Amino acid sequence: MEQFRVYHYDSFTSIPHQGNPAGVVFKADRLSDSEMQLIAHRVGFNETVFVLESNRADIRLRYFTPGHEIGLCGHATIASIYGLHSNGMFGDVDSITLETKDGILPVSFSNKDNKLYIKMKQHSPQFLPFEGKVEELSASIGISPSEMEMTLPIVYGSTGAWTLLIPVKRLSSFREMKPNNNQFPNILKEMPKASVHPFCMEVVNSSSLMHARHFSSPFSGTTEDAVTGTASGVMGAYYLEYMDNEKDEVQFIVEQGQEIGKDGRVHVDVRRNPEGIDVYIEGTAVYVGEVNWKK
C-alpha cells in the first residue's frame, strides 16, 4: 500500500486552525486524476491542491474540492506556495510563475513583520447580471430581502471561479445566515454551479474595508468556505466597477470567517489598465500538521 502525505496549511492567517484550511500534496505527478479526486474527497477540506512539475512555468497546481476539480483557488495557492517557499524550493527569488488549468499567473513574495506573504495575480474579472428572484435568493441564505443592499447590483463575478456577489446592508445579518446550498442551482439559473458570496461594508475589525461569507455550490461537496481568495479578489474588482468608478486603484483588506470561528484576512489590490482591471490578492499561511492517506 503506497502512502501519500497530505500536508495541512491554514491560509490568510498566521494562527493554526484559523483562516482557511487547505490540503497540499507535494510531488504529485504520479497521481491519476481519479486518485487526486479521491484524496480530496477523503481529506474533506474545501480544496486540496496537488503540486506538479511544469514545462511552461516554475510549478503547476491542480485544485480539487471533495466533489470536482476547479481551475483556480486562492487559499490553496497561498498554502502550497507558502509550504514550498518555507522548505527552500524557490531559493532567493522574489517571484515565480504558476501554471493552473486556467492559465499561467505570476506570484511574488515579500516579508512583513517577519512573516512570509504571497501575492498572486488573478484572471481578468468578468461580471454577469443576476436575473433570478431576489426573494428566493435571500431565503436560500436565511435572510429577508429587506436586509439586502438593493442600491448595489447583485452580479456573478469571476477572477478564476464564478460566485454570486450579494451586497448586504448590515453586519448583524451575517450571524443569522443559514445557507440551503441545495437550493442554489435552481435559483442561479444563469450559472447553476456558482457559489454564493454575500458581503457588506460594516466590519468586525477596523483595519478591514469589507466583510463576507462564502457559501459553496452543492456540487463541490462542502457547505461554506471559511476565507475565500478568488471571491475576495473579485470583490476588489466589484468595488472599482460598481462602487467607486472614479478611482483607478484601491488596496484594502477583506475579513471573513468570523461567524464560524475561522478569522482570516485577504489583502486585495486592484488597478485599472487600458484593457480592464488587474486583480491581486495577498496573504500569509501557517503549517498545521499532516494527514496520512493510503492508496
Side-chain angles (χ1 to χ4, degrees):
M1 296 285 285
E2 188 177 357
Q3 182 170 302
F4 298 102
R5 290 196 174 184
V6 181
Y7 296 84
H8 172 190
Y9 289 84
D10 286 334
S11 296
F12 303 124
T13 182
S14 58
I15 302 170
H17 304 295
Q18 293 295 302
N20 201 355
V24 181
V25 179
F26 300 110
K27 298 181 180 179
D29 297 86
R30 67 191 184 277
L31 292 171
S32 68
D33 291 5
S34 60
E35 287 172 328
M36 291 182 191
Q37 185 61 75
L38 183 56
I39 290 171
H41 179 77
R42 293 277 183 89
V43 170
F45 291 149
N46 282 76
E47 279 83 18
T48 295
V49 56
F50 297 84
V51 181
L52 304 98
E53 295 181 356
S54 172
N55 56 15
R56 302 174 58 209
D58 291 297
I59 60 165
R60 179 185 175 206
L61 298 182
R62 294 182 67 181
Y63 313 91
F64 287 78
T65 75
H68 58 87
E69 184 175 8
I70 59 175
L72 183 67
C73 175
H75 85 274
T77 301
I78 300 295
S80 56
I81 300 297
Y82 181 92
L84 289 166
H85 192 286
S86 299
N87 286 289
M89 171 71 179
F90 305 121
D92 296 329
V93 303
D94 57 9
S95 64
I96 62 164
T97 54
L98 167 65
E99 180 186 350
T100 73
K101 192 175 182 181
D102 290 345
I104 295 176
L105 298 173
V107 175
S108 60
F109 314 118
S110 62
N111 193 286
K112 302 177 184 179
D113 301 322
N114 294 318
K115 296 184 182 72
L116 173 66
Y117 276 76
I118 296 103
K119 188 172 190 176
M120 61 175 289
K121 188 176 183 180
Q122 299 190 322
H123 296 296
S124 297
Q126 303 176 70
F127 296 104
L128 292 172
F130 170 72
E131 298 178 354
K133 295 181 179 179
V134 170
E135 295 80 7
E136 292 180 354
L137 178 61
S138 62
S140 73
I141 59 173
I143 63 174
S144 70
S146 64
E147 294 175 79
M148 300 167 75
E149 181 53 84
M150 299 308 296
T151 62
L152 293 170
I154 301 170
V155 296
Y156 299 94
S158 173
T159 54
W162 285 99
T163 192
L164 185 68
L165 295 162
I166 306 172
V168 175
K169 292 177 181 176
R170 292 176 293 274
L171 182 65
S172 58
S173 298
F174 287 76
R175 293 190 290 271
E176 307 303 319
M177 290 178 181
K178 293 184 174 68
N180 189 334
N181 305 60
N182 289 329
Q183 293 181 356
F184 294 165
N186 291 328
I187 297 168
L188 312 184
K189 296 184 186 301
E190 304 86 1
M191 201 161 289
K193 292 187 177 181
S195 56
V196 171
H197 195 77
F199 71 93
C200 74
M201 302 302 290
E202 285 189 359
V203 293
V204 175
N205 303 283
S206 60
S207 61
S208 306
L209 180 69
M210 289 181 172
H211 182 88
R213 293 183 74 175
H214 188 88
F215 303 127
S216 308
S217 162
F219 299 100
S220 71
T222 60
T223 300
E224 181 167 1
D225 209 354
V227 192
T228 320
T230 50
S232 295
V234 84
M235 284 167 66
Y238 181 101
Y239 185 89
L240 287 188
E241 188 78 12
Y242 300 106
M243 300 178 73
D244 194 341
N245 55 23
E246 298 295 320
K247 283 189 175 178
D248 288 328
E249 62 180 76
V250 64
Q251 297 82 37
F252 60 82
I253 294 174
V254 175
E255 63 180 29
Q256 195 182 327
Q258 289 74 25
E259 290 83 6
I260 57 174
K262 292 285 187 179
D263 183 37
R265 308 279 191 283
V266 184
H267 295 253
V268 177
D269 180 352
V270 288
R271 310 167 192 174
R272 296 190 194 276
N273 64 57
E275 289 76 38
I277 298 174
D278 288 330
V279 178
Y280 300 84
I281 61 165
E282 185 178 37
T284 189
V286 61
Y287 173 68
V288 179
E290 295 182 19
V291 179
N292 290 329
W293 184 87
K294 290 186 177 180
K295 184 177 176 182

